[in-house]
Amino acid sequence: MANAQQRNVDEFQLPKGGLIKKLMYIMAFIGPASMLCSTSMGPGTASSCIQAGSMFGYDLLWAIVLSGIMCGGVAYIGAKATALSGKDVFELIRERIGNVACSILFVVVLITWYMVIYSQGSIMRHLNDIMFGEQAAAVAYVVTILLIAYLYYASTNNRIIKMASIMCTVMAIIFFINVFYVRPNIGQLIGGMVPKRFSLDEAIIIAGVIGGSAPGTSALWYSYSVKNQQWDKPSALGFIKWDQIVFAAMFTIFSLGIFLSGAAVLFPAGIKAMSAVEAAKALEPLAGVLGTYIFIAGLWGAVFTTIGGMSTLGSYCLNSLFHISKDNSDVKVRRLILIGIVISLFGGMSGGNAMSLLVNFLGLLNIGGLVIITILTYLTSNSKFSGQYKNKWYTTLMGLIILGFNAYSTWTYIARFL
C-alpha cells in the first residue's frame, strides 16, 4: 500500500466517473492529517468549546465553525511550505532565524508540549475515576497508559496514522450522535452562525477556541507527517488539501458536538463548566446516564489519542533538535515516544495538573507559534519561494486571520507583565 501511494502521489488527478469513485480515490491517500487532528481533538479544545457553549449559549457557534476552518488552514500552510521546499518546518525556520534562535524556540515548544502531555495524564486519571470508580481507577489508568505505549511504540508510522484516522473517525461519530441526543434548537443554531458584537469575556473565549485549534505550531507538527509520508513535493499538494479538508471536518464535528452539550444543556440550566471534566460531571442530572456516557466515551478517546499522538510528534521534534536519525521511523526515534507516555503516567499517578506552570509556558508557545505562522504565511505568499504555487488571495487572507488570532493570544500573555 505504501509503495502504491509513493508511486501515485506524483500526480493528483481525480478519476472520471461518479462521486463515489472520486471519494474512494481521495480516501485511499488521506491520513497524515489524522496525527495532528488526534492531538487537536483533545481536552484543551473540549474545555474551550464547553466553556463557550455553557457561558454564552449558541452565540459563539460561528467561532466554533471558524476554528475548524482555521485548524485545517494553519496545517495546510505548513504542509505547503514543506511540499514546495522538501524541508520540514523546523528546517525552514532554522534557515530563517539561525540555529541558536531556532533551537531555543523549539525547546520552549517541546517543553510546553510535554507539560500538556503531563496534564493529559491527569485528565485521563479523572475520567477513569468517573468511569470505573476510584477503587478501580488506578489499575484501569495504568492499563490504559500501557496500552497507549504498546500501540504507539510498537507500530510503524503508517500503522500509527491508521490508528489515529480510526480514532478520529470514531470520536467524530460519537459527537455527531451527541448532536442529535442534545437536540439543539434549530432557530438558535441559525442565529449562532451570525457574529454579533461581543464582550471582552466573549473575546477571550473566542481567542481560546481558535487559538487552541489553530496555533502556529500546528504547521510544524503536520509538516513532520507530510515529510514522513513522502509528500514533500509540489505534486502532493492535491492530496494535502483533501487530507486537511477531511480531518478539519472531523475536528469541526467533534468541536460542535461538545459545544452543543454546553449550549443546549448546561447554558439553560445556568451551569458554567470551566473544563470538559466538570462538564462530564454536570451533564448526568440533565442529560441522563446515556448522554453523559456518550460525552465521556468521546472525551476518553480524545485523551487516549492526544497522549499517543503528542508523544509521537514530540519524538520527531526531539529528533530534529538532536539529529538522532534521518528517518523518523527509525527505532531510535520511536523509543523517544516513551518519554511522553511516561510523563503522562506521572501526571495521572501524582494527581497534579501543573496548570500554573503550563499557563506561563503556553504563553511562550503563543509567541513561538506567532513566529512560525508569520514566516510560513510570508513564504507561501511569496513568488520567489512559491513560484507558480504562490497562495491564492483567500489562502493568504486565511493565514493573516490565523496570524491575527496568534498575535492577540501573544499580546494577552505579554500584557500580563506590563
Side-chain angles (χ1 to χ4, degrees), residues 324-344:
I324 297 165
S325 173
K326 293 182 179 180
D327 184 1
N328 281 327
S329 64
D330 191 308
V331 66
K332 294 178 182 177
V333 179
R334 289 214 311 276
R335 286 175 187 154
L336 299 176
I337 296 172
L338 297 176
I339 294 175
I341 293 172
V342 169
I343 288 173
S344 73

Side-chain angles (χ1 to χ4, degrees), residues 32 43 53 84 130 133 178 214 267 272 277 280 337 372 406 409:
L84 297 181
I130 297 171
N178 191 59
F267 178 74
K272 296 181 179 180
V277 175
I337 296 172
I372 292 171
N406 279 267
S409 298

Side-chain angles (χ1 to χ4, degrees), residues 13-76:
Q13 187 173 357
L14 285 173
K16 296 180 180 179
L19 178 61
I20 299 298
K21 189 172 183 179
K22 290 181 172 64
L23 285 175
M24 291 297 291
Y25 177 79
I26 293 168
M27 297 298 286
F29 288 89
I30 63 167
S34 65
M35 282 297 296
L36 175 61
C37 193
S38 67
T39 63
S40 300
M41 290 166 69
T45 295
S47 295
S48 296
C49 291
I50 203 72
Q51 282 185 53
S54 66
M55 293 176 69
F56 303 107
Y58 293 91
D59 287 351
L60 299 185
L61 177 62
W62 64 271
I64 303 299
V65 175
L66 181 61
S67 75
I69 298 171
M70 297 294 102
C71 178
V74 69
Y76 175 78

Side-chain angles (χ1 to χ4, degrees), residues 304-369:
F304 188 99
T305 56
T306 298
I307 292 172
M310 291 184 77
S311 297
T312 302
L313 292 173
S315 73
Y316 300 161
C317 192
L318 283 171
N319 188 31
S320 292
L321 283 167
F322 299 107
H323 312 292
I324 297 165
S325 173
K326 293 182 179 180
D327 184 1
N328 281 327
S329 64
D330 191 308
V331 66
K332 294 178 182 177
V333 179
R334 289 214 311 276
R335 286 175 187 154
L336 299 176
I337 296 172
L338 297 176
I339 294 175
I341 293 172
V342 169
I343 288 173
S344 73
L345 178 63
F346 286 146
M349 298 306 292
S350 68
N353 55 30
M355 286 307 296
S356 58
L357 282 174
L358 180 59
V359 167
N360 286 319
F361 271 96
L362 283 175
L364 293 174
L365 186 64
N366 288 333
I367 297 174

Side-chain angles (χ1 to χ4, degrees), residues 31 34-36 38 152 159-169 171 247 305:
S34 65
M35 282 297 296
L36 175 61
S38 67
Y152 282 84
R159 282 188 63 193
I160 289 174
I161 286 174
K162 288 179 181 178
M163 284 191 298
S165 299
I166 291 169
M167 289 296 290
C168 287
T169 302
M171 285 187 288
F247 285 99
T305 56

